[in-house]
Amino acid sequence: MSLANAHTAPLDRFSLPDTGGHFGGYGGVYVPETLMTALQELGAAYDLARKDPVFLTELRHHLKEFAGRPTELGFAARLTEYCGGAKIYLKREDLLHTGAHKINNALAQALLARRMGKKRIIAETGAGQHGVATAAACAKFGLECVVYMGAHDMERQSLNVFRMRLMGAEVRGVTAGQQTLKEAINEAMRDWVTNVRSTHYILGTAYGSHPYPMMVRDFHRVIGQEAKEQILAREGRLPDELIACVGGGSNAIGLFFEFLEEPNVRMIGVEAGGHGIKRGEHAARFAGGRLGVLQGCKTFLLQDAEGQIESTHSVSAGLDYAAVGPEHAFYRDRGRIQFAYATDDEVMAAFQLCSRLEGIIPALESTHAIVEGMKRAKALAKDKVIIINLSGRGDKDVQQVAKILDVKL
Ligand SMILES: *Cc1c(COP(=O)(O)O)cnc(C)c1O
Protein backbone atom coordinates (compact mmCIF):
# COMPACT_ATOMS: atom_id res chain seq x y z
CA MET A 1 0.00 0.00 0.00
CA SER A 2 1.39 3.41 -0.85
CA LEU A 3 1.85 5.90 1.94
CA ALA A 4 -0.39 8.45 0.21
CA ASN A 5 -3.58 6.44 0.57
CA ALA A 6 -2.40 4.43 3.57
CA HIS A 7 -3.60 6.85 6.18
CA THR A 8 -6.88 7.59 4.47
CA ALA A 9 -7.83 3.92 4.79
CA PRO A 10 -9.79 3.48 8.01
CA LEU A 11 -8.17 1.22 10.56
CA ASP A 12 -9.76 -0.40 13.57
CA ARG A 13 -7.39 0.52 16.38
CA PHE A 14 -8.33 -2.66 18.23
CA SER A 15 -7.12 -4.85 15.35
CA LEU A 16 -3.52 -4.26 16.45
CA PRO A 17 -1.33 -5.98 17.30
CA ASP A 18 -1.99 -9.32 15.57
CA THR A 19 -1.70 -12.53 17.61
CA GLY A 20 2.07 -12.54 17.08
CA GLY A 21 2.35 -9.04 18.51
CA HIS A 22 2.96 -7.31 15.16
CA PHE A 23 2.01 -3.74 14.43
CA GLY A 24 2.46 -4.09 10.67
CA GLY A 25 6.19 -4.66 10.21
CA TYR A 26 7.04 -3.72 13.81
CA GLY A 27 6.89 -5.41 17.21
CA GLY A 28 6.85 -9.19 17.51
CA VAL A 29 8.71 -11.51 19.87
CA TYR A 30 12.52 -11.72 19.86
CA VAL A 31 13.60 -13.51 23.03
CA PRO A 32 15.55 -16.63 23.99
CA GLU A 33 13.59 -19.90 23.95
CA THR A 34 13.51 -19.97 27.76
CA LEU A 35 11.32 -16.86 27.87
CA MET A 36 8.80 -17.92 25.23
CA THR A 37 6.74 -19.88 27.74
CA ALA A 38 6.73 -17.00 30.22
CA LEU A 39 5.53 -14.54 27.58
CA GLN A 40 2.82 -16.95 26.42
CA GLU A 41 1.69 -17.52 30.01
CA LEU A 42 1.59 -13.75 30.56
CA GLY A 43 -0.32 -13.21 27.32
CA ALA A 44 -2.92 -15.80 28.28
CA ALA A 45 -3.31 -14.40 31.82
CA TYR A 46 -3.69 -10.87 30.50
CA ASP A 47 -6.22 -11.99 27.92
CA LEU A 48 -8.43 -13.39 30.69
CA ALA A 49 -7.89 -10.47 33.05
CA ARG A 50 -8.75 -7.77 30.51
CA LYS A 51 -12.21 -9.33 30.07
CA ASP A 52 -12.77 -10.10 33.75
CA PRO A 53 -15.04 -7.57 35.51
CA VAL A 54 -13.54 -8.57 38.87
CA PHE A 55 -10.02 -7.60 37.72
CA LEU A 56 -11.22 -4.42 36.03
CA THR A 57 -13.25 -3.30 39.04
CA GLU A 58 -10.34 -3.97 41.38
CA LEU A 59 -7.97 -2.04 39.09
CA ARG A 60 -10.37 0.90 38.84
CA HIS A 61 -10.66 0.95 42.63
CA HIS A 62 -6.90 1.12 43.20
CA LEU A 63 -6.37 3.66 40.41
CA LYS A 64 -8.82 5.92 42.20
CA GLU A 65 -7.96 5.29 45.84
CA PHE A 66 -4.19 4.72 45.62
CA ALA A 67 -3.04 6.48 42.45
CA GLY A 68 -5.49 9.40 42.50
CA ARG A 69 -7.47 9.03 39.26
CA PRO A 70 -9.12 10.70 37.49
CA THR A 71 -6.52 13.41 36.93
CA GLU A 72 -7.62 16.92 36.02
CA LEU A 73 -7.57 18.44 32.56
CA GLY A 74 -6.51 21.98 33.39
CA PHE A 75 -6.71 25.08 31.20
CA ALA A 76 -3.27 26.74 31.06
CA ALA A 77 -4.52 30.33 30.90
CA ARG A 78 -1.24 32.21 31.15
CA LEU A 79 0.69 29.87 28.85
CA THR A 80 -2.15 30.28 26.33
CA GLU A 81 -2.00 34.06 26.65
CA TYR A 82 1.79 34.01 26.32
CA CYS A 83 1.63 32.01 23.06
CA GLY A 84 -1.26 34.09 21.74
CA GLY A 85 -2.91 31.31 19.73
CA ALA A 86 -4.75 28.05 20.43
CA LYS A 87 -6.12 27.25 23.88
CA ILE A 88 -3.69 25.02 25.77
CA TYR A 89 -4.97 22.34 28.14
CA LEU A 90 -2.72 20.20 30.33
CA LYS A 91 -3.63 16.62 31.19
CA ARG A 92 -2.34 16.44 34.73
CA GLU A 93 -0.70 13.01 35.07
CA ASP A 94 1.84 14.82 37.24
CA LEU A 95 -0.75 14.80 40.03
CA LEU A 96 -0.70 11.02 40.34
CA HIS A 97 0.85 9.22 43.31
CA THR A 98 4.64 8.84 42.84
CA GLY A 99 4.59 11.75 40.38
CA ALA A 100 4.02 10.37 36.89
CA HIS A 101 1.78 8.27 34.66
CA LYS A 102 3.95 5.20 35.36
CA ILE A 103 1.85 4.18 38.37
CA ASN A 104 -1.08 3.31 36.01
CA ASN A 105 0.94 0.46 34.53
CA ALA A 106 2.89 -0.59 37.64
CA LEU A 107 -0.29 -0.95 39.68
CA ALA A 108 -2.09 -2.91 36.95
CA GLN A 109 0.81 -5.31 36.34
CA ALA A 110 1.27 -5.87 40.09
CA LEU A 111 -2.42 -6.84 40.32
CA LEU A 112 -2.00 -9.14 37.32
CA ALA A 113 1.07 -10.77 38.92
CA ARG A 114 -0.84 -11.39 42.14
CA ARG A 115 -3.63 -12.97 40.10
CA MET A 116 -1.05 -15.21 38.40
CA GLY A 117 0.23 -16.33 41.81
CA LYS A 118 3.63 -14.67 41.33
CA LYS A 119 4.93 -13.26 44.58
CA ARG A 120 8.20 -11.84 43.33
CA ILE A 121 8.44 -8.78 41.05
CA ILE A 122 11.39 -7.52 39.07
CA ALA A 123 11.64 -4.26 37.13
CA GLU A 124 14.18 -2.12 35.30
CA THR A 125 14.52 1.59 35.81
CA GLY A 126 16.49 4.43 34.25
CA ALA A 127 15.86 7.67 36.11
CA GLY A 128 14.06 5.72 38.81
CA GLN A 129 10.45 6.79 38.14
CA HIS A 130 9.30 3.34 37.03
CA GLY A 131 11.28 1.77 39.87
CA VAL A 132 9.58 4.02 42.41
CA ALA A 133 6.11 3.31 40.96
CA THR A 134 6.79 -0.44 41.00
CA ALA A 135 8.19 -0.34 44.54
CA ALA A 136 5.05 1.50 45.69
CA ALA A 137 2.71 -1.00 44.02
CA CYS A 138 4.65 -3.94 45.49
CA ALA A 139 4.58 -2.48 48.99
CA LYS A 140 0.84 -1.92 48.63
CA PHE A 141 0.18 -5.55 47.64
CA GLY A 142 2.88 -7.18 49.79
CA LEU A 143 5.00 -8.42 46.89
CA GLU A 144 8.77 -8.91 46.95
CA CYS A 145 10.41 -6.33 44.67
CA VAL A 146 13.84 -6.25 42.98
CA VAL A 147 14.71 -3.27 40.77
CA TYR A 148 17.65 -3.33 38.34
CA MET A 149 19.32 0.01 37.75
CA GLY A 150 22.53 1.02 35.99
CA ALA A 151 25.24 1.95 38.50
CA HIS A 152 25.71 5.27 36.71
CA ASP A 153 21.98 6.04 37.03
CA MET A 154 22.05 5.06 40.72
CA GLU A 155 24.64 7.72 41.30
CA ARG A 156 22.73 10.38 39.31
CA GLN A 157 19.41 9.49 40.93
CA SER A 158 20.41 8.60 44.47
CA LEU A 159 17.21 10.09 45.92
CA ASN A 160 15.04 7.70 43.91
CA VAL A 161 17.22 4.78 44.99
CA PHE A 162 16.53 5.74 48.61
CA ARG A 163 12.78 6.11 47.89
CA MET A 164 12.63 2.58 46.47
CA ARG A 165 14.53 1.20 49.46
CA LEU A 166 12.22 3.01 51.89
CA MET A 167 9.29 1.20 50.26
CA GLY A 168 11.03 -2.14 50.76
CA ALA A 169 12.48 -2.75 47.30
CA GLU A 170 15.93 -4.17 46.74
CA VAL A 171 17.84 -2.05 44.20
CA ARG A 172 20.55 -3.95 42.33
CA GLY A 173 23.22 -1.91 40.56
CA VAL A 174 24.30 -3.01 37.07
CA THR A 175 27.92 -2.30 36.17
CA ALA A 176 28.02 -3.57 32.56
CA GLY A 177 28.47 -1.31 29.51
CA GLN A 178 27.29 2.30 29.88
CA GLN A 179 25.73 1.34 33.26
CA THR A 180 22.35 2.81 32.32
CA LEU A 181 18.85 1.69 31.27
CA LYS A 182 19.76 -0.68 28.43
CA GLU A 183 22.05 -2.71 30.69
CA ALA A 184 19.42 -2.71 33.47
CA ILE A 185 16.88 -4.27 31.06
CA ASN A 186 19.41 -6.96 30.07
CA GLU A 187 19.91 -7.86 33.74
CA ALA A 188 16.17 -7.93 34.42
CA MET A 189 15.67 -10.31 31.47
CA ARG A 190 18.47 -12.52 32.78
CA ASP A 191 16.82 -12.65 36.22
CA TRP A 192 13.47 -13.49 34.61
CA VAL A 193 14.94 -16.41 32.67
CA THR A 194 16.35 -17.84 35.93
CA ASN A 195 13.33 -17.25 38.20
CA VAL A 196 10.44 -17.40 35.78
CA ARG A 197 8.25 -19.66 37.94
CA SER A 198 8.05 -17.32 40.92
CA THR A 199 8.62 -14.00 39.18
CA HIS A 200 6.77 -11.45 37.06
CA TYR A 201 8.72 -8.80 35.16
CA ILE A 202 6.96 -5.39 35.28
CA LEU A 203 8.30 -3.67 32.19
CA GLY A 204 7.92 0.10 32.36
CA THR A 205 6.93 1.26 28.88
CA ALA A 206 5.06 0.27 25.71
CA TYR A 207 8.05 -1.66 24.46
CA GLY A 208 9.67 -5.12 24.40
CA SER A 209 8.18 -8.43 23.23
CA HIS A 210 4.49 -9.14 22.90
CA PRO A 211 2.31 -8.83 24.98
CA TYR A 212 4.11 -5.91 26.69
CA PRO A 213 3.59 -3.12 24.10
CA MET A 214 -0.13 -3.93 23.90
CA MET A 215 -0.63 -4.54 27.62
CA VAL A 216 1.20 -1.40 28.78
CA ARG A 217 -0.72 0.63 26.19
CA ASP A 218 -4.00 -0.72 27.49
CA PHE A 219 -3.11 0.13 31.08
CA HIS A 220 -2.53 3.76 30.05
CA ARG A 221 -5.59 4.13 27.82
CA VAL A 222 -7.41 5.64 30.77
CA ILE A 223 -5.46 8.88 30.12
CA GLY A 224 -7.12 9.42 26.74
CA GLN A 225 -10.51 8.13 27.88
CA GLU A 226 -10.61 10.71 30.65
CA ALA A 227 -9.21 13.49 28.45
CA LYS A 228 -11.86 12.91 25.79
CA GLU A 229 -14.70 13.11 28.30
CA GLN A 230 -13.15 16.15 30.00
CA ILE A 231 -12.57 18.19 26.85
CA LEU A 232 -16.08 17.43 25.57
CA ALA A 233 -17.51 18.66 28.89
CA ARG A 234 -15.31 21.74 28.84
CA GLU A 235 -15.25 22.81 25.19
CA GLY A 236 -18.15 20.87 23.72
CA ARG A 237 -15.90 19.43 21.05
CA LEU A 238 -12.80 17.32 20.42
CA PRO A 239 -9.33 18.91 20.50
CA ASP A 240 -7.50 19.86 17.31
CA GLU A 241 -4.15 18.53 18.47
CA LEU A 242 -2.73 16.15 21.08
CA ILE A 243 0.91 16.39 22.07
CA ALA A 244 2.95 14.01 24.23
CA CYS A 245 6.61 13.20 24.80
CA VAL A 246 7.88 9.80 23.62
CA GLY A 247 10.49 7.70 25.41
CA GLY A 248 9.31 4.13 24.94
CA GLY A 249 5.95 5.65 24.12
CA SER A 250 3.58 4.71 26.94
CA ASN A 251 2.19 8.08 28.05
CA ALA A 252 1.79 9.13 24.41
CA ILE A 253 -0.06 6.04 23.20
CA GLY A 254 -2.14 6.17 26.41
CA LEU A 255 -3.38 9.64 25.45
CA PHE A 256 -3.60 9.05 21.69
CA PHE A 257 -5.30 5.65 21.53
CA GLU A 258 -8.81 6.89 22.27
CA PHE A 259 -8.55 9.42 19.43
CA LEU A 260 -6.89 7.32 16.71
CA GLU A 261 -10.11 6.97 14.76
CA GLU A 262 -11.06 10.65 15.06
CA PRO A 263 -9.91 12.03 11.68
CA ASN A 264 -9.82 15.68 12.79
CA VAL A 265 -7.58 15.19 15.80
CA ARG A 266 -3.90 15.58 14.93
CA MET A 267 -1.33 13.78 17.11
CA ILE A 268 2.29 14.67 17.66
CA GLY A 269 4.88 12.66 19.57
CA VAL A 270 7.95 14.55 20.77
CA GLU A 271 11.34 12.87 21.09
CA ALA A 272 14.53 13.99 22.80
CA GLY A 273 16.63 16.16 20.48
CA GLY A 274 19.43 16.47 23.07
CA HIS A 275 22.26 18.62 21.72
CA GLY A 276 20.86 18.31 18.18
CA ILE A 277 20.66 15.50 15.62
CA LYS A 278 24.29 14.37 15.60
CA ARG A 279 25.45 10.82 16.32
CA GLY A 280 25.43 10.08 20.04
CA GLU A 281 24.00 13.48 20.97
CA HIS A 282 20.24 12.80 21.00
CA ALA A 283 17.52 10.14 21.35
CA ALA A 284 15.26 11.07 18.40
CA ARG A 285 14.86 7.63 16.86
CA PHE A 286 12.65 8.85 14.02
CA ALA A 287 15.07 11.66 13.18
CA GLY A 288 18.24 9.58 13.10
CA GLY A 289 17.28 5.91 13.37
CA ARG A 290 16.33 2.95 11.21
CA LEU A 291 14.75 -0.48 11.46
CA GLY A 292 16.38 -3.02 13.75
CA VAL A 293 15.82 -5.34 16.72
CA LEU A 294 16.60 -4.42 20.32
CA GLN A 295 15.58 -6.07 23.58
CA GLY A 296 12.83 -8.23 22.15
CA CYS A 297 11.28 -5.83 19.65
CA LYS A 298 11.60 -4.86 15.97
CA THR A 299 11.35 -1.10 15.59
CA PHE A 300 13.13 2.16 14.81
CA LEU A 301 16.39 2.44 16.67
CA LEU A 302 19.62 4.40 16.77
CA GLN A 303 22.42 2.21 15.46
CA ASP A 304 25.62 2.59 13.47
CA ALA A 305 26.35 1.08 10.04
CA GLU A 306 27.31 -2.26 11.65
CA GLY A 307 24.09 -2.41 13.64
CA GLN A 308 25.76 -1.54 16.95
CA ILE A 309 23.44 0.43 19.23
CA GLU A 310 24.58 4.03 19.43
CA SER A 311 24.90 5.91 22.69
CA THR A 312 22.15 8.44 23.30
CA HIS A 313 21.85 11.71 25.14
CA SER A 314 19.01 13.74 26.62
CA VAL A 315 18.71 16.14 29.54
CA SER A 316 15.77 13.93 30.60
CA ALA A 317 16.70 10.39 31.62
CA GLY A 318 13.18 9.13 30.88
CA LEU A 319 13.52 9.80 27.13
CA ASP A 320 17.12 8.66 26.87
CA TYR A 321 16.73 5.28 25.13
CA ALA A 322 17.87 4.04 21.70
CA ALA A 323 14.56 2.48 20.58
CA VAL A 324 10.91 3.51 20.33
CA GLY A 325 7.69 1.52 20.91
CA PRO A 326 6.52 -0.42 17.81
CA GLU A 327 2.99 1.00 17.69
CA HIS A 328 4.38 4.50 17.21
CA ALA A 329 6.52 3.33 14.28
CA PHE A 330 3.43 1.80 12.69
CA TYR A 331 1.23 4.90 12.99
CA ARG A 332 4.06 7.13 11.83
CA ASP A 333 4.29 5.14 8.57
CA ARG A 334 0.57 5.68 8.06
CA GLY A 335 0.90 9.39 8.71
CA ARG A 336 -1.48 9.08 11.67
CA ILE A 337 1.01 10.19 14.33
CA GLN A 338 3.62 12.81 13.47
CA PHE A 339 6.92 13.18 15.29
CA ALA A 340 9.00 16.16 16.31
CA TYR A 341 11.86 16.65 18.72
CA ALA A 342 12.86 19.25 21.31
CA THR A 343 16.45 20.08 22.22
CA ASP A 344 17.88 20.30 25.74
CA ASP A 345 18.13 24.10 25.44
CA GLU A 346 14.50 24.48 24.37
CA VAL A 347 13.48 22.20 27.25
CA MET A 348 15.43 24.19 29.84
CA ALA A 349 13.72 27.41 28.72
CA ALA A 350 10.20 25.93 28.67
CA PHE A 351 10.76 24.25 32.07
CA GLN A 352 11.32 27.65 33.67
CA LEU A 353 8.58 29.35 31.67
CA CYS A 354 5.90 26.80 32.60
CA SER A 355 6.94 26.96 36.25
CA ARG A 356 6.68 30.75 36.28
CA LEU A 357 3.50 31.15 34.22
CA GLU A 358 1.47 28.20 35.46
CA GLY A 359 2.79 27.41 38.93
CA ILE A 360 3.49 23.90 37.69
CA ILE A 361 7.03 22.48 37.62
CA PRO A 362 6.89 19.88 34.83
CA ALA A 363 9.09 16.80 34.49
CA LEU A 364 11.89 17.39 31.98
CA GLU A 365 10.37 14.58 29.88
CA SER A 366 6.95 16.25 29.76
CA THR A 367 8.62 19.59 29.02
CA HIS A 368 9.54 18.23 25.56
CA ALA A 369 5.81 18.13 24.82
CA ILE A 370 5.38 21.66 26.20
CA VAL A 371 8.07 22.97 23.81
CA GLU A 372 6.26 21.53 20.78
CA GLY A 373 2.82 22.49 22.15
CA MET A 374 3.88 26.12 22.49
CA LYS A 375 5.21 26.23 18.91
CA ARG A 376 1.95 24.79 17.63
CA ALA A 377 -0.29 26.97 19.78
CA LYS A 378 1.46 30.05 18.37
CA ALA A 379 0.75 28.90 14.82
CA LEU A 380 -2.95 28.14 15.42
CA ALA A 381 -5.99 30.43 15.66
CA LYS A 382 -7.47 31.31 19.05
CA ASP A 383 -10.52 29.10 18.58
CA LYS A 384 -8.35 25.97 18.26
CA VAL A 385 -7.74 23.62 21.18
CA ILE A 386 -4.67 21.56 22.03
CA ILE A 387 -4.02 19.10 24.83
CA ILE A 388 -0.50 18.54 26.14
CA ASN A 389 0.10 15.45 28.25
CA LEU A 390 1.88 16.50 31.41
CA SER A 391 3.24 13.00 32.02
CA GLY A 392 5.00 13.83 35.31
CA ARG A 393 6.05 16.44 37.80
CA GLY A 394 9.48 18.05 37.92
CA ASP A 395 10.30 17.69 41.61
CA LYS A 396 12.72 14.91 40.70
CA ASP A 397 14.51 17.25 38.29
CA VAL A 398 15.06 20.41 40.31
CA GLN A 399 18.53 19.46 41.60
CA GLN A 400 19.70 18.70 38.07
CA VAL A 401 18.21 21.93 36.71
CA ALA A 402 19.85 23.95 39.50
CA LYS A 403 23.18 22.42 38.55
CA ILE A 404 22.72 23.24 34.85
CA LEU A 405 21.71 26.81 35.73
CA ASP A 406 24.72 27.03 38.04
CA VAL A 407 22.54 27.74 41.07
CA LYS A 408 23.97 26.71 44.45
CA LEU A 409 21.36 25.07 46.70
C1 LIG B 1 9.31 7.53 32.04
C2 LIG B 1 8.72 8.82 31.71
C3 LIG B 1 8.45 9.21 30.38
C4 LIG B 1 8.83 8.38 29.19
O1 LIG B 1 8.20 7.14 29.08
P1 LIG B 1 7.04 6.84 28.05
O2 LIG B 1 6.87 5.37 28.14
O3 LIG B 1 7.47 7.29 26.69
O4 LIG B 1 5.83 7.58 28.51
C5 LIG B 1 7.82 10.41 30.16
N1 LIG B 1 7.49 11.25 31.18
C6 LIG B 1 7.75 10.92 32.47
C7 LIG B 1 7.38 11.88 33.54
C8 LIG B 1 8.37 9.70 32.78
O5 LIG B 1 8.63 9.40 34.06
Side-chain angles (χ1 to χ4, degrees), residues 99-102 129 204-206 245-252 318-319 363 365-366 391-393 396:
H101 67 293
K102 291 208 169 70
Q129 286 304 105
T205 187
C245 67
V246 179
S250 69
N251 87 87
L319 304 185
E365 290 83 5
S366 324
S391 52
R393 68 179 84 126
K396 68 182 177 61

Side-chain angles (χ1 to χ4, degrees), residues 93-94 98-102 127-130 204-207 216 220 244-253 270 285 316-320 324-325 328 362-367 389-394 396-397:
E93 294 296 292
D94 63 312
T98 66
H101 67 293
K102 291 208 169 70
Q129 286 304 105
H130 175 57
T205 187
Y207 191 75
V216 177
H220 286 298
C245 67
V246 179
S250 69
N251 87 87
I253 200 69
V270 188
R285 291 69 44 109
S316 67
L319 304 185
D320 198 352
V324 64
H328 288 284
L364 287 172
E365 290 83 5
S366 324
T367 309
N389 204 20
L390 204 65
S391 52
R393 68 179 84 126
K396 68 182 177 61
D397 298 316

Side-chain angles (χ1 to χ4, degrees), residues 164-199:
M164 289 183 254
R165 287 179 173 155
L166 277 173
M167 292 186 282
E170 181 192 336
V171 183
R172 291 190 187 164
V174 180
T175 51
Q178 285 198 335
Q179 314 195 14
T180 60
L181 179 61
K182 181 158 63 70
E183 291 78 22
I185 297 176
N186 283 339
E187 265 327 289
M189 305 246 288
R190 217 163 281 147
D191 181 315
W192 205 26
V193 169
T194 314
N195 302 297
V196 68
R197 277 174 181 278
S198 66
T199 300

Side-chain angles (χ1 to χ4, degrees), residues 223-404:
I223 302 172
Q225 288 165 343
E226 286 175 10
K228 196 177 206 177
E229 217 171 88
Q230 289 164 325
I231 201 70
L232 284 173
R234 191 71 187 263
E235 290 285 336
R237 68 178 187 87
L238 292 175
D240 297 284
E241 298 191 349
L242 302 173
I243 299 154
C245 67
V246 179
S250 69
N251 87 87
I253 200 69
L255 175 66
F256 296 167
F257 192 78
E258 203 59 27
F259 298 87
L260 281 169
E261 288 166 64
E262 302 286 358
N264 298 323
V265 180
R266 202 172 302 144
M267 298 171 195
I268 302 99
V270 188
E271 297 183 286
H275 299 312
I277 309 305
K278 293 171 292 245
R279 277 182 57 181
E281 297 292 323
H282 68 97
R285 291 69 44 109
F286 289 127
R290 59 194 167 80
L291 193 61
V293 172
L294 180 64
Q295 298 186 316
C297 185
K298 188 190 274 188
T299 184
F300 261 74
L301 47 104
L302 295 168
Q303 55 190 326
D304 66 18
E306 279 79 50
Q308 292 294 319
I309 302 307
E310 287 189 333
S311 56
T312 52
H313 163 80
S314 169
V315 68
S316 67
L319 304 185
D320 198 352
Y321 184 61
V324 64
E327 196 160 11
H328 288 284
F330 174 82
Y331 283 112
R332 176 176 175 266
D333 281 356
R334 291 178 70 91
R336 185 65 193 95
I337 304 177
Q338 297 165 245
F339 287 84
Y341 60 84
T343 65
D344 287 359
D345 289 346
E346 291 175 312
V347 166
M348 285 300 296
F351 179 88
Q352 296 169 78
L353 192 73
C354 180
S355 301
R356 212 164 51 233
L357 290 181
E358 291 297 332
I360 296 169
I361 301 175
L364 287 172
E365 290 83 5
S366 324
T367 309
H368 286 70
I370 296 174
V371 168
E372 181 66 19
M374 288 175 60
K375 288 180 193 169
R376 291 181 165 266
K378 284 176 190 171
L380 288 170
K382 288 190 173 180
D383 62 340
K384 301 292 183 190
V385 173
I386 71 177
I387 296 177
I388 298 174
N389 204 20
L390 204 65
S391 52
R393 68 179 84 126
D395 303 39
K396 68 182 177 61
D397 298 316
V398 292
Q399 277 178 314
Q400 188 191 346
V401 170
K403 207 167 155 189
I404 295 170

